[in-house]
Amino acid sequence: MAKAKINPISLEIAWNGLKSIADECFITIMRSAFSSNVKERHDHSTAIADREGRLVVQAEMSLPVHLASMGGMLRELISRFGDDIGPGDIFIANDPHVAGGTHLPDINMASPVFEGDQLVGFIANIIHHADVGGAAIGSMSGGLDEIYKEGLRIPVMRLYRRGRCDEDLLKLLLLNMRLPDERRGDLNAQIAACRLGEARLHDLLRTHGAEKMAVIFDEIISRTEIRMRKAISQLPDGTYRFSDMMDDDGAGTEDVRIVLAVTKSGENIVFDFTGTDPQVKGNFNLTYNATQSAICYSLKALLDAEVPTNQGIFDAIEIIAPSGSFVNCVAPAAVAMRANSCQRVVDCVLGALAPVIPQQVIAAANGANTSAVFTGIDPANGRMYVYLETLGGGMGARYGKDGKDGVQVHITNTSNLPVEAIELEYPLRVEEYSLITDTGGAGRQRGGMGIRRVIRPIGHTCEFNGVGERFRHRPWGLFGGEDGASGRFYISAEDGGQLALDSKATRIALPETSCAVIETPGAGGYGKPSERSRDDITADLDAGKISAEHVAKYYPDWSKDVSPDVIAAKTTALAS
């Protein structure tokens, strides 16, 4: 039987309908979740998949790192449950090793959509939950050396059968997570998004029907692959190499190296990680799905930023990642901090392709997913709280523009939590939230600046856990651009003393007489500093983005033509 055909206009209308469903599901989670990590920072994603579990459309604001995780969960779901899937079901999972996930805090949900007794597709979503149990509060501390310590592992399980919740399963999940009321609220937000997505897709099915919808799904994925391959074909044939390294794994292994060879031939491209270091004891390992997400994001960003984010991108590329390596770990490898490692994979792709597409790449960004977890007992109500945030930093400079300051970069794409939200919900005071002078690498285009947050507990002693990367190996510049500044953690006491902390700071007692200071990395510059315009240098100095000392070191020609009194006056004005 020949497949039905669909004209381009009808396809575009259907495509926009599917995008609006995914976006509405995203907003539903954002507006109904309990945790600030979701309602304020938007650490969640939504998508629609076909009956085979292939992702068709992802919400506009979804995170690139979640792409392969949702697809991985759906493949495991279909493999395990096969024909035992019915209307009203909702499935839940989070495990990186047996359920397609990338780390345990990301809990996936998926609900099938039927027309009559015919499976049409799935509504899928994912939330980063602020705690899923385990040895460390927040489930995101460094130094955890096996998956069992990182939290509750959930294989693909049926949470709802024919519309009825498995209350025993839900109780078991909540019993093993801290802040069960908050967890229940976020899980309910995911359930609501599933139900809304089902209803909206049924509305679309009344127009198109199941068979035509299957054709639409196929056509969207096929066109995405064709478009991606066409973009790939514009690259010159050849093999391009780059390597970079992580600072350490938090468990004793330093300088973990990622080695990448990108080979392009015609419309085909292969990303080969042969030579990458073995998986490590600490929790920075990547599952294959996490590596796949980072590669797909990189290629889309470099070659065709408007191409749909779906299975078609996966189908257009080949990845060689040796089993048991840092970029394709096996159980019981710990993976909680995988976002930092994904950032380094992105840097490797950018570094490898920089010689052939210099106007599309950027210098190394802050290269981290700097995380901070504050936890304690709220003195106002006697209840436990967990404040989790991953902070942005500098974005790498590019061919024609400076890097952005103080933003999340690449595969994370979340928001920085507003000061008001922190102080409203937690017994904490944010005493400083600023950009850090001189952290952007000098260059024709300046790298983006890192962020400083200074946080003090109010009326109690809390616990601080921090995990940073690019604290030793600075974000590199491109084409003569200077490296960006590294990050750091330290404790600031009332007497002005400072206590330096490790980049993987664990279970640090923080009294109300002290503050935790978090400084995230900047980013690399692009092009030689000598090529930067005098107006741009002056504007940076006036804005406090660079200091007089920075100017003298990296832009000496500018300094020669300006009176020392003028520089001193600018510096004094900024200080005051």
Side-chain angles (χ1 to χ4, degrees):
M1 180 178 176
K3 278 190 175 182
K5 293 184 178 180
I6 184 168
N7 66 69
I9 294 174
S10 296
L11 180 64
E12 185 68 17
I13 292 170
W15 164 243
N16 280 281
L18 292 168
K19 287 198 296 183
S20 71
I21 293 170
D23 288 341
E24 189 176 2
C25 290
F26 184 96
I27 293 170
T28 295
I29 291 177
M30 182 179 73
R31 290 182 173 175
S32 56
F34 277 31
S35 67
S36 58
N37 192 51
V38 179
K39 64 186 179 184
E40 297 285 355
R41 295 192 60 252
H42 313 152
D43 197 346
H44 64 288
S45 296
T46 57
I48 299 172
D50 69 1
R51 69 185 73 175
E52 298 172 18
R54 299 181 301 168
L55 291 186
V56 177
V57 57
Q58 195 178 21
E60 182 76 17
M61 292 178 66
S62 289
L63 276 60
V65 73
H66 289 160
L67 175 64
S69 183
M70 288 186 286
M73 185 262 197
L74 288 167
R75 288 192 298 272
E76 294 295 333
L77 189 165
I78 293 169
S79 174
R80 177 177 174 185
F81 289 92
D83 294 333
D84 187 22
I85 300 172
D89 289 355
I90 294 180
F91 297 87
I92 187 170
N94 76 343
D95 192 81
H97 296 299
V98 301
T102 58
H103 73 168
L104 296 179
D106 283 352
I107 296 182
N108 281 279
M109 281 195 192
S111 56
V113 179
F114 284 80
E115 185 180 61
D117 60 356
Q118 185 175 356
L119 177 63
V120 176
F122 294 88
I123 303 295
N125 63 60
I126 189 169
I127 277 182
H128 180 118
H129 287 256
D131 184 277
V132 290
I137 298 173
S139 311
M140 287 281 288
S141 292
L144 302 178
D145 56 12
E146 59 178 0
I147 190 74
Y148 306 107
K149 295 180 182 179
E150 295 190 303
L152 180 65
R153 301 178 64 187
I154 310 170
V156 180
M157 303 186 74
R158 197 190 324 253
L159 182 61
Y160 276 76
R161 180 186 288 272
R162 303 299 193 270
R164 297 191 62 178
C165 180
D166 184 338
E167 293 291 344
D168 289 337
L169 173 57
L170 183 59
K171 288 177 182 177
L172 177 65
L173 299 180
L174 295 175
L175 183 65
N176 285 277
M177 301 178 187
R178 301 173 182 92
L179 305 179
D181 290 341
E182 184 178 273
R183 298 287 69 71
R184 183 188 292 271
D186 285 356
L187 290 171
N188 282 340
Q190 292 184 263
I191 294 165
C194 283
R195 295 306 187 210
L196 175 73
E198 291 174 43
R200 295 292 186 263
L201 192 52
H202 278 129
D203 291 341
L204 211 56
L205 285 169
R206 278 193 283 273
T207 300
H208 299 290
E211 290 305 320
K212 187 176 179 182
M213 187 59 67
V215 174
I216 289 169
F217 288 162
D218 284 344
E219 193 71 13
I220 290 170
I221 293 171
S222 175
R223 288 181 179 223
T224 298
E225 181 182 358
I226 291 169
R227 182 170 163 178
M228 194 74 253
R229 288 189 180 278
K230 183 177 180 180
I232 291 168
S233 72
Q234 304 305 307
L235 292 171
D237 287 353
T239 297
Y240 311 102
R241 303 178 187 276
F242 197 81
S243 66
D244 207 335
M245 62 178 66
M246 309 293 294
D247 290 344
D248 66 278
D249 72 338
T253 302
E254 294 187 344
D255 301 337
V256 183
R257 185 169 293 278
I258 299 174
V259 177
L260 175 63
V262 181
T263 299
K264 183 268 176 181
S265 177
E267 293 186 340
N268 300 311
I269 193 164
V270 179
F271 296 84
D272 187 352
F273 290 93
T274 300
T276 294
D277 284 352
Q279 66 187 55
V280 293
K281 188 176 182 181
N283 54 351
F284 284 76
N285 298 290
L286 295 177
T287 61
Y288 180 85
N289 285 339
T291 298
Q292 187 180 45
S293 288
I295 293 294
C296 289
Y297 157 79
S298 303
L299 211 58
K300 172 176 173 168
L302 289 172
L303 301 185
D304 188 347
E306 300 302 320
V307 70
T309 305
N310 61 38
Q311 181 67 37
I313 300 178
F314 295 155
D315 294 341
I317 66 176
E318 180 183 351
I319 299 173
I320 300 172
S323 180
S325 70
F326 185 70
V327 294
N328 185 13
C329 66
V330 296
V335 296
M337 308 312 302
R338 55 83 170 99
N340 295 274
S341 308
C342 282
Q343 302 283 28
R344 202 67 80 257
V345 169
V346 173
D347 285 346
C348 284
V349 176
L350 296 175
L353 295 179
V356 291
I357 46 173
Q359 295 190 22
Q360 282 105 297
V361 299
I362 65 172
N366 69 79
N369 195 224
T370 309
S371 68
V373 178
F374 292 81
T375 182
I377 303 299
D378 189 335
N381 55 31
R383 297 176 183 169
M384 183 183 187
Y385 71 90
V386 178
Y387 156 48
L388 162 71
E389 181 172 14
T390 59
L391 291 96
M395 171 68 90
R398 45 202 154 154
Y399 177 79
K401 291 185 178 180
D402 292 344
K404 290 186 176 182
D405 303 319
V407 294
Q408 296 280 353
V409 299
H410 299 317
I411 51 89
T412 51
N413 200 36
T414 55
S415 301
N416 295 325
L417 194 59
V419 171
E420 297 84 353
I422 297 171
E423 296 185 342
L424 180 65
E425 294 201 26
Y426 307 107
L428 302 169
R429 179 185 298 128
V430 181
E431 299 197 344
E432 183 180 346
Y433 180 31
S434 62
L435 298 172
I436 310 172
T437 300
D438 293 341
T439 51
R444 187 182 76 230
Q445 307 298 336
R446 175 186 48 78
M449 301 165 68
I451 290 173
R452 179 185 292 116
R453 271 220 207 261
V454 180
I455 298 178
R456 181 189 301 274
I458 304 302
H460 71 298
T461 295
C462 75
E463 179 181 298
F464 168 70
N465 294 277
V467 175
E469 268 291 321
R470 292 287 191 202
F471 279 37
R472 290 177 55 241
H473 298 291
R474 297 167 61 182
W476 40 261
L478 272 179
F479 306 116
E482 297 290 337
D483 295 346
S486 55
R488 63 173 179 157
F489 297 132
Y490 63 92
I491 301 299
S492 176
E494 278 191 329
D495 62 5
Q498 293 184 4
L499 174 64
L501 301 177
D502 292 337
S503 63
K504 282 70 179 177
T506 303
R507 306 202 70 173
I508 305 299
L510 185 66
E512 60 180 320
T513 55
S514 297
C515 299
V517 182
I518 303 156
E519 294 186 353
T520 66
Y526 189 111
K528 297 177 181 178
S530 59
E531 298 173 353
R532 188 162 179 80
S533 76
R534 295 176 182 275
D535 288 345
D536 287 340
I537 297 170
T538 302
D540 282 349
L541 186 60
D542 288 344
K545 295 185 175 183
I546 57 177
S547 67
E549 294 77 14
H550 187 88
V551 172
K553 181 176 181 180
Y554 295 109
Y555 306 108
D557 290 342
W558 183 92
S559 301
K560 290 177 185 175
D561 297 336
V562 179
S563 165
D565 293 338
V566 173
I567 297 177
K570 289 178 180 292
T571 304
T572 302
L574 287 169
S576 62

